[in-house]
Amino acid sequence: YGVDGAAFATFISYFLVFVLRALHRRSMGRIRWNLPKLLLNLALVLAQTWALLTFETNWVLPVLALCALTCLLNLRMLLSAVQKVLRRRRI
């Protein structure tokens, strides 16, 4: 299956690690999952992957638009992470 098979195998292995770590994390404390948002993020990343694999040319704009949409969807979390990093650098 070549490169596509390697990419799919990598996806499966990362997904398994994600699930196993999420299950293991439950023993340390609860994590609130926003399942619709998680699935939407996954769908956007899969759409980016599809665009990269499907369009031989003119793939940049669709991928950038999907990336921007993903960033907007997660803007609050991204800003919070940036604030935490900036606060740590001041100390």
Side-chain angles (χ1 to χ4, degrees), residues 3-60:
V3 175
D4 293 337
F8 185 70
T10 302
F11 167 74
I12 293 296
S13 64
Y14 278 128
F15 181 74
L16 285 174
V17 168
F18 171 75
V19 169
L20 291 173
R21 292 294 297 151
L23 291 173
H24 180 259
R25 175 70 176 95
R26 288 173 62 183
S27 66
M28 297 177 214
R30 302 275 306 156
I31 295 179
R32 295 179 314 166
W33 294 97
N34 185 345
L35 191 58
K37 190 172 182 179
L38 179 67
L39 293 175
L40 183 56
N41 275 301
L42 179 61
L44 289 170
V45 170
L46 288 174
Q48 286 179 346
T49 304
W50 174 81
L52 284 169
L53 293 175
T54 303
F55 302 133
E56 290 184 22
T57 59
N58 301 325
W59 55 267
V60 175

Side-chain angles (χ1 to χ4, degrees), residues 82-91:
V82 167
Q83 286 176 342
K84 286 179 185 179
V85 168
L86 291 177
R87 270 190 250 132
R88 287 183 185 167
R89 293 187 134 233
R90 290 182 191 159
I91 296 175

